[in-house]
Amino acid sequence: MSRKQKALSATGARRLLVACWTAGFLASLAMVFSLYIRGWIAQDNFQASLTRLSTLYAPYLGGIFGYYLSNRAKPGRAYDTGMAFVLAIAASAAWNLVMAGLLSRVVFFDGTIEQTLKDLMFFGSLMSWLVAPAIAFYFTSPGPQEGEENP
Amino acid sequence: MGKSFAFIMVALWVAHGADLHFKTDSTRIEAGASANLQWAAQAEDKLVILGLGPVPSTGSIAVSPKRHTNYTLIDESARGFIARTVEVEVIGSRGTDYPPDPDEFRYPVSERRTVHSRADFLGAVFGVLQNDLDFVVRTSTLNPSDVQFLTNLSERADLVDSVDANRLRGRRIAYMVDVQDQPSGVYCTVKSYIQFRLRAEDTWRPESREDLYQRKDRELLNRLKALP
C-alpha cells in the first residue's frame, strides 16, 4: 500500500467516526423534534429530551470534533486505522444504534418519552465504559508519521 | 315568628342528628380482614348505607373492603336526611387515583329535583357511579344534609374523539356529585375533572377544553335526573 493511500484512508477513518457520531446525534434530534412538532410530547418533555441528548452526546461529539478539527491543520499527523479504529467505530456504532433505537421506540411504536429518557441515561452510562476507552485509545494511538514507512 | 320557626327547625335538625350513631370498630384493617360497622337510629327512620343498601334502624354488619372505603349511612325521616360517614383503610392495598385537589373540579351544573325518598335517591346516585359507570366511589358528608360523591380518575375511550385520536394516548375523568337536602327537594351538582395524556407520554395533564367538561357534566346530570 502506498504512503498516499494510507494517509487518505486514515483521514477517511477519522471522517467516518465523525460522521457516525454526527449522524447519530442528528437522527436523535430529528426524532425528538418530530415528536414535539406532531404534538406527541409537551414542551417540558421536549426540553428534557434535548437536555438529556446534549448531556449524553456532548462528551463524545465534543471530543471527537475537537480532535478532528485540531488535527486537520496537521497533515502529517495520522491515526491508527487498524485495531484501534475498528474498536472505536464498532463501539461508536453500537452506542449510537442503541440511543437511536430507544428513541425510535417512541416514534414508531408504543413507547413513552419519560421511560425512554430514563433508558437513555441508563444505557448511555452503562455503555460509556465501552465507548470512552475505545475512542480514547484510537485518538491516542498514532499511526505512521510523515517520512515513516508503514509496517 | 320567622326567627322562632328557624330556631325550632334547627333544634329539630340538631336533635335528629344527635340520635344517629354510626361507627366502625376498626378504622384500619389488613387486606382480607373485616371491620364491623355499627349504627343506631330512631326506629321510625329509614336507613340506607350507600353501596350496601337499606338496613334496619339498629344493627351491625361486617365489611371486607378491598381498598380504602368510606361508608355513609343515610338516615331519612320526615325532616329530611342526615348522613354520617366512617372510613375503613385497608393496609397495603393498591392505591386509587383521585384528583389531587377538589378545587380542580370544573364547570358545575346543578339541578333541583323532588324525590320520593332521599335515601333511595342517594343510593341510586351511588349505584349509577359505581355500578353503571364503573367508578370507585368515595362518599363524604360535608355537613349532615350534604353528601358528596367523589369518584376516582378513570380512563374512558369515549373521551377521545377522532380529532384527538392521533395526538392523544387517552383521557380520564373523575366526577364530584354533591347532593344537598333542601326543604324544596334535593339539589344535585355535578362537576368533573378531566386529564389527558399525549401519545408519547406517561404524564397526565389537566384538560382545559370547556366543551368537554360541560358535555360530560350534563350527561351525568341528565342520567341522575332520569333516576326514579
Side-chain angles (χ1 to χ4, degrees):
Chain A
M1 193 181 286
S2 75
R3 176 85 186 86
K4 191 175 178 183
Q5 278 175 321
K6 184 70 186 175
L8 276 176
S9 116
T11 307
R14 272 190 299 151
R15 281 187 181 155
L16 190 60
L17 202 57
V18 170
C20 171
W21 280 94
T22 309
F25 183 57
L26 290 179
S28 299
L29 276 185
M31 283 191 270
V32 169
F33 269 92
S34 85
L35 290 172
Y36 183 57
I37 288 165
R38 280 190 280 183
W40 289 13
I41 58 173
Q43 194 181 19
D44 53 351
N45 274 326
F46 173 63
Q47 288 176 351
S49 306
L50 293 183
T51 306
R52 182 59 49 85
L53 285 182
S54 173
T55 307
L56 287 167
Y57 274 91
Y60 302 116
L61 205 53
I64 289 167
F65 260 115
Y67 271 111
Y68 177 70
L69 294 172
S70 66
N71 284 292
R72 281 178 71 180
K74 301 173 188 171
R77 181 84 165 87
Y79 294 94
D80 184 8
T81 53
M83 184 51 72
F85 173 71
V86 171
L87 279 176
I89 196 73
S92 300
W95 199 89
N96 280 282
L97 280 174
V98 167
M99 296 298 121
L102 289 170
L103 273 169
S104 67
R105 207 176 46 167
V106 189
V107 179
F108 302 111
F109 302 100
D110 203 30
T112 62
I113 195 72
E114 293 91 341
Q115 186 56 48
T116 300
L117 291 182
K118 286 180 197 163
D119 292 345
L120 284 174
M121 200 64 205
F122 174 76
F123 284 106
S125 307
L126 198 70
M127 292 178 77
S128 66
W129 290 101
L130 172 73
V131 181
I135 290 174
F137 179 51
Y138 171 66
F139 280 108
T140 53
S141 302
Q145 300 297 304
E146 229 171 347
E148 286 178 10
E149 282 299 317
N150 284 307
Chain B
M1 175 64 188
K3 279 185 180 172
S4 305
F5 177 73
F7 176 77
I8 291 166
M9 289 304 289
V10 169
L12 280 172
W13 178 74
V14 170
H16 178 52
D19 288 338
L20 177 64
H21 301 281
F22 186 41
K23 63 176 186 177
T24 174
D25 62 351
S26 315
T27 52
R28 293 188 82 200
I29 58 170
E30 297 282 347
S34 296
N36 213 34
L37 306 179
Q38 296 169 328
W39 63 91
Q42 289 185 349
E44 66 274 17
D45 293 355
K46 178 177 183 175
L47 297 182
V48 169
I49 298 178
L50 297 179
L52 300 178
V55 291
S57 58
T58 304
S60 67
I61 189 170
V63 291
S64 300
K66 289 178 185 162
R67 59 174 77 85
H68 184 135
T69 303
N70 290 4
Y71 293 94
T72 297
L73 175 69
I74 309 293
D75 176 345
E76 184 182 14
S77 69
R79 295 177 296 277
F81 75 76
I82 300 284
R84 294 269 189 273
T85 298
V86 295
E87 289 183 37
V88 178
E89 187 184 341
V90 180
I91 299 162
S93 65
R94 194 162 158 258
T96 307
D97 274 350
Y98 288 96
D101 183 357
D103 293 336
E104 301 275 6
F105 287 85
R106 294 174 194 178
Y107 308 110
V109 288
S110 295
E111 193 86 26
R112 182 184 68 82
R113 58 163 296 173
T114 51
V115 292
H116 294 300
S117 162
R118 287 162 166 80
D120 288 347
F121 177 71
L122 287 163
V125 172
F126 188 91
V128 165
L129 293 170
Q130 182 180 262
N131 306 327
D132 299 354
L133 298 176
D134 211 20
F135 283 104
V136 179
V137 186
R138 186 177 283 178
T139 54
S140 55
T141 47
L142 300 181
N143 65 55
S145 59
D146 187 351
V147 175
Q148 193 175 72
F149 300 86
L150 174 69
T151 75
N152 65 323
L153 281 156
S154 175
E155 199 164 350
R156 305 283 151 146
D158 68 330
L159 283 168
V160 180
D161 46 36
S162 56
V163 180
D164 296 328
N166 186 47
R167 196 177 62 89
L168 296 185
R169 181 175 285 256
R171 279 200 179 93
R172 61 183 187 174
I173 187 168
Y175 286 109
M176 183 188 280
V177 180
D178 198 56
V179 181
Q180 218 174 352
D181 192 21
Q182 300 279 337
S184 55
V186 291
Y187 273 90
C188 253
T189 304
V190 174
K191 290 189 275 187
S192 57
Y193 175 58
I194 301 174
Q195 292 180 325
F196 69 90
R197 195 154 58 159
L198 291 173
R199 181 158 171 170
E201 291 190 344
D202 273 330
T203 310
W204 288 102
R205 300 172 186 278
E207 179 60 65
S208 56
R209 268 181 57 186
E210 187 177 337
D211 62 314
L212 203 58
Y213 281 94
Q214 289 183 340
R215 176 162 67 84
K216 297 310 287 182
D217 291 350
R218 184 56 63 183
E219 271 177 23
L220 179 58
L221 192 67
N222 288 340
R223 200 158 180 161
L224 300 182
K225 269 167 68 181
L227 288 173

